[in-house]
Each structure stands twice: as C-alpha cells, then as structure tokens.
Amino acid sequence: MSELKQDLLSGNDAYARGAWEAGVTVAAGYPGTPSTEILEALAAYKQQDLHCEWSPNEKVALEVGAGAALTGARVLVTMKHVGLNVAADPFMTLAYTGCVGGIVILVADDPGMHSSQNEQDTRHFARFGKVPILEPSDATEAKDMMKRGFEISEQFKTPVIVRSTTRVSHSRGLVDLEDRQLPETKIGFQKNPRQFVPVPAFARQMRVDLEKRLHDIKDFAETDSINRIEYNDKSLGIITSSTSYLYVKEVWPEASVLKLGMAYPFADKLFKEFSENVDNVLVIEELDDFYEEHIKALGIKCDGKNFVPNIGEFTQSKLAVIRAKYEGKEAPNLSPVEEAADLPMRPPTLCPGCPHRGMFTALRYFDCIVTGDIGCYALGVAPPLSRIDTILCMGGGFTMAHGMDRSPEPKKVVGILGDSTFFHSGITGLCNIAYNKGTSIIIVLDNRTTAMTGHQDHPGTGKTLMGDPTQTLSIEKIGEACGIKRIFSVDPRDIDSNVQLLKQEFEVDEPTLIVAKYPCVLNDKSVWETPREIDQDLCVSCGNCVQLGCPAIEYNGEIPKIEPLMCTGCSLCENVCELDLINAQGTEK
Ligand SMILES: Cc1ncc(C[n+]2csc(CCOP(=O)(O)OP(=O)(O)O)c2C)c(N)n1
Ligand code: SF4
Ligand code: SF4
C-alpha cells in the first residue's frame, strides 16, 4: 500500500499544488495580494511541460489563458479581486465561447482590505458572467476545489472561478499530496467558428447555449456533494460558505449547516429542502448579501445582514458577538489579549533608502497637483512627504492627471506611477496624453521591480517568472513611440537637478515623461552604500533631513541621528542638508 503523503501548505501553495496535480500546463497572472504566491509556487515545480508567466495585466493573462484553453490545455489564471475588473471584458465573452481544456480563474478577494484599495465580492461577477464559482474554506479544500474546478470546466465547457479570500490564501493546513495527472485530451486547436467566433450571428446562439449550460450546472449544484447539508440541532439552520463555515462550526457547533462549495449557480432545491427542515434560517456570508437576497427571492424567510455586517472580514469573535445579538444576549468580551493602550503609532512608511522618496521630495518645492497610483509610492500620501493628492486604480496616475489637465483647473498636474504599473495599464494613458494634446508632467518611478506585491518581474526587468533572461522593454522608447517628445531619464536621488528639471518642464506647453530610475533597495542590495551619519556637534536641527520621512533618521534629544543598521547609504539626506553635515560614516569631518 502506498504511503499517504501530506504537507502543511498555505492556501496559496495548495491552489498551486491542485493545479499541478490537475495537469495544468499553462498558467498566467498578474501579482496582487493575496493571490501572488500561487503562480510563484506553481512555477517552482519547474516541470518541463509547465509554462508559467507574469502578464503585464490581468486582461492579458486571461486572454493568454483563453488561447491556451482552446487548444485543449488545462490553464490556470490568477489575480486579485480588482484584477477581475481589468479582465472583465475577455471574461464576459469567454463565458460565451467556453473552453476545450479546463480553465480556472483564481480570484482572491480581500475582505477587510488588508492590502487593497477596495472590498469587492467576486461572487457577483460569477452571476454577471453566468459562470460557476467555487468557494474553498481552507487549504485542503483549496487543493481539492482547484482540481474539481478543472473537471467542472471541462464537463460543462465553461470557465470556472475559484474565489479565494485572504484568510484562505494565507492560512495553513495539512493537505494530502497526490501525483500529477495529465488529462487525456490531445492538444490541438480544432476550428469551430460557431463556438469560438462570437460575431453577432454566432454569439446570439452562444447566448442561448450559455443559459442552457447554466441550467445544467444548476442541476449539478443541487445534487453534487460540493454543496452539502450537515443536519444537527434543527432549531437553527445556518447557510454559509468559505471561511465563514469554519467560524460557524466553532461558534455554533450544535447548529445544522448548509455549506456551499459552489456559490453560483444557486442550489435552489437545497435552499428549499434545508429551510423546510430547520425552524429558523440564518445566512452567514462575508461581504455582500449574495445568498440572502436570492434566498429571500425564493420566498424563504431568513435572517442575515440584519445581524451580520456586510463590511470587513469575519473572525470567530465577531461571529460570537453576532450570535449573542441574534439570541438577544449581551455581547461577550472575547478579546484574547488586552489591547495595550500605550503602544507607539507605527504608520506605514517607505523603507529607508527607498528611491521613491527622492522624487516626492523634489515635488514638494512646487504648488502642483500630484495624481498618484497604487504601488509602494502610494505611501507618498503620508506625512511628512504628503505629496500624493489622488489615487484611483492601476493606471489612474496618468489618466487622472490628463483629466485634471484638460479641465479648467489652473494648477499644473503631475501624474505618477511605477514601472510595473506602467506596463500594466500606464501605456494606454500615455498614448492618450500624447494623442489628446495633454500638457501634464508624467513620472514613472522605475525601481526595476513590482515591489509592492513582493518584487515580481515584469516586461521591463529582463527576467521571466521561470527565471530566464529575456527582452527588456524600455519605458523611454515606448514613450517615444507613443509620441512623447520630451523624455528625461533621471536619478530620483538627485533632488537639485530634478527640481530644476521640473521647474523647466512646468513652463512647457506639451507633455513631459520623466523616468526616475533607481532600484528598490530591498530588491537590489548591491546599491547599498556606507551608512551616513550626522555631525552631532554642528547640527542646528533645521529638520530638513527629518522631513524626508526616512525611518533611519530619528531624534536623539534635540539633534537628529541616523541609525546605522537601517541606513542604506542612499545619500538623500546628505543631499538635503544645506550645511553639509551629513557624510558617510567614518569620513573625516
Ligand atoms: C488591478 C490590480 N491588479 C493588481 C493590484 C496589486 N498591486 C498593487 S500595486 C501593484 C504594482 C506595484 O508595482 P510598481 O508600479 O512597479 O510600484 P512599486 O511597488 O514597485 O513601487 C500591484 C500589482 C492592484 N492593486 N490592482
Ligand atoms: S520595498 Fe522598495 S520600493 Fe517599496 S518602499 Fe521599500 S524600498 Fe521603496
Ligand atoms: S542615507 Fe539618509 S535618507 Fe538614505 S537611508 Fe540613510 S538615513 Fe535614510
């Protein structure tokens, strides 16, 4: 008898394992917490027959995935919830054409917004696109549902969404390991315009087929064990899914539960059967009233969002409070550790030596509007830099600048985004500025990586996800090709020169592209230099260096001091000290 192999895996590792075991041969995605580690873990299998790639954005990833799935290959596409907004266009039509090889779109939601600009409930997208969506609740189910996802995808010829959440992606559990099994499908695209070419004449039939397919999947949802009822005390029946299921099992161990593994299409027969067999129905779902609204529309009486919040992430303690409220009791005080009242504030800040700090410092000399974006540089909004005025979504740093520039707003506008964001969705904004005769200054903070999500490569870094050297795209040349004439490559640490450049470019009546190039100091330690020190005897405590907001500079009584263990020697503080009192440690004064 072969020995059962198990490993303690994070949800994201388990998704990767599931995809690997299911015989995925093509995987594409764009990084975004909490989904990022899935592709990294899958690429680490280094399988000859497995190709994993970072795409410049989620729309591209899904389109690449769709192409591969039409040849019969099994395909995984990964992204975070906001990424599906970017990929919404191909997603909605892929639901029509369907697939040949199974295609799973792993979308990771972030209830509580641990690292996201908004809270979104991806289940709505599944209903919108009319595709099935699975909701694992832990690492074991993450692997299993990933594999089921491919089977369902091939059985019904539809893309399948697997919806993760931060808690599922990042918590660990013991997972059974099985062998990789390649599907038997022969790879080879079979022409079939009626299925793959949604010109109106064919798309109208596809629309009808889509409803039929959805109907069949609904039958599946009502009979397959992916949705299951656990009868217990029948005075209360709870309908739930995802990690909420685990919290429910802890907080209401005696209750009956309808656990939904497939959130959509709705398993109406199960909703009805369950509600007929319990005295009261309570729906516990994270974020929106997705099930509740539908259950009520079926004429079933239930409680839900009248007790359960629709904002933020659940915890056991939150559910214990909800239980008390539901039962009309006083809320328990379940905080496991007393919160310390006097902990110092630790606001998020750019790292010591971060190259982004230099450009923000130069911009502080100007009364202009800065439309920012979502990378590490979003921290430029915080004091003491306070140099970002708006953030919307990836790519918005450029496009919002143009919108303000073309409005009667009298101030000059500077649009900022990072190198990964430039390739994600900055290029189209740049084309637009050139085409529509914008005059804003746009800056790419090019730190040679996607730092915010953990240093992933992108088309500008010269390396693929699989670790191979590749073509390095030049931001300057792309700018040129878009029609921008004024293009400057600068070192963000050179504050004086950058102030002069900005002054000059503010006077120009055409767009300017500035590429501020210097590597992220966490990604490339080769740029670290000797730590700096402040002459403690001569310093007049003017605060210029402190205003950089570098965590390595702290007050030592009246006089600021540099913590040598944190300092990367980036020289920025040296550049802003007008008395020239900051030098490399150990240099003669
Ligand atoms: C549509 C979308 N996809 C993914 C993300 C996750 N995310 C936030 S910022 C960012 C890119 C950061 O890289 P870059 O622009 O190079 O800036 P850096 O963090 O390196 O300074 C990503 C992928 C997101 N917020 N929105
Ligand atoms: S990770 Fe890199 S880019 Fe991000 S704040 Fe730190 S130094 Fe700056
Ligand atoms: S050189 Fe100055 S600004 Fe740069 S990391 Fe050191 S203390 Fe911070």
Side-chain angles (χ1 to χ4, degrees), residues 127 218 239 264 266-269 271-272 275 281 283 285 289-303:
R127 184 163 54 172
K218 194 178 181 71
I239 300 177
Y264 188 80
F266 296 115
D268 290 355
K269 283 187 187 148
F271 288 148
K272 285 180 190 150
S275 61
V281 177
V283 184
E285 54 189 326
D289 52 350
F290 185 73
Y291 301 132
E292 183 183 339
E293 194 183 67
H294 183 74
I295 289 166
K296 283 182 171 157
L298 291 175
I300 298 169
K301 200 168 153 297
C302 68
D303 285 301

Side-chain angles (χ1 to χ4, degrees), residues 244-472:
S244 309
Y245 166 75
L246 301 177
Y247 301 145
V248 162
K249 294 298 275 184
E250 286 199 27
V251 175
W252 274 275
E254 77 288 2
S256 294
V257 176
L258 166 54
K259 181 197 184 292
L260 297 163
M262 183 180 269
Y264 188 80
F266 296 115
D268 290 355
K269 283 187 187 148
L270 283 184
F271 288 148
K272 285 180 190 150
E273 178 193 325
F274 186 64
S275 61
E276 278 161 14
N277 285 307
V278 296
D279 300 336
N280 298 290
V281 177
L282 174 62
V283 184
I284 297 198
E285 54 189 326
E286 217 165 35
L287 298 184
D288 296 338
D289 52 350
F290 185 73
Y291 301 132
E292 183 183 339
E293 194 183 67
H294 183 74
I295 289 166
K296 283 182 171 157
L298 291 175
I300 298 169
K301 200 168 153 297
C302 68
D303 285 301
K305 293 298 173 192
N306 47 337
F307 290 102
V308 183
N310 64 351
I311 299 176
E313 189 183 34
F314 290 164
T315 57
Q316 288 93 327
S317 352
K318 264 194 195 170
L319 284 213
V321 171
I322 292 164
R323 175 169 186 164
K325 202 162 109 187
Y326 181 70
E327 292 173 351
K329 294 182 183 152
E330 198 169 316
N333 182 5
L334 287 172
S335 179
V337 183
E338 281 290 302
E339 283 198 13
D342 54 355
L343 280 179
M345 286 285 288
R346 196 172 164 275
T349 177
L350 295 166
C351 303
C354 174
H356 298 336
R357 188 173 278 114
M359 218 53 204
F360 287 129
T361 306
L363 281 164
R364 289 173 72 192
Y365 289 86
F366 300 93
D367 181 23
C368 60
I369 301 169
V370 179
T371 56
D373 218 293
I374 296 177
C376 284
Y377 39 85
L379 296 168
V381 76
L385 294 169
S386 307
R387 215 50 202 98
I388 282 199
D389 299 306
T390 65
I391 293 177
L392 185 63
C393 60
M394 288 190 77
F398 281 3
T399 42
M400 284 186 79
H402 181 66
M404 287 195 183
D405 177 40
R406 299 316 283 172
S407 79
E409 165 62 48
K411 281 190 189 164
K412 272 283 194 181
V413 191
V414 175
I416 284 194
L417 43 72
D419 44 343
S420 189
T421 304
F422 177 82
F423 292 109
H424 178 276
S425 47
I427 298 175
T428 38
L430 186 64
C431 294
N432 186 48
I433 290 173
Y435 172 60
N436 283 310
K437 300 174 180 288
T439 60
S440 40
I441 296 178
I442 45 182
I443 302 178
V444 181
L445 296 177
D446 180 2
N447 61 355
R448 322 298 303 139
T449 186
T450 319
M452 182 76 152
T453 45
H455 301 109
Q456 289 77 28
D457 284 295
H458 60 63
T461 64
K463 230 168 82 212
T464 69
L465 170 59
M466 309 289 278
D468 300 325
T470 183
Q471 188 74 30
T472 310

Side-chain angles (χ1 to χ4, degrees), residues 351-354 357 493 521 529-534 545 548-554 561-564 566-576 582-583:
C351 303
C354 174
R357 188 173 278 114
R493 298 171 308 160
V521 292
E529 290 175 24
T530 317
R532 300 312 198 243
E533 64 182 338
I534 300 172
C545 58
L548 292 170
C550 173
I553 308 177
E554 57 188 10
K561 183 175 177 289
I562 293 174
E563 167 52 53
M566 287 174 95
C567 175
T568 67
C570 76
S571 78
L572 210 58
C573 51
E574 195 176 324
N575 294 347
V576 296
I582 304 182
N583 293 288

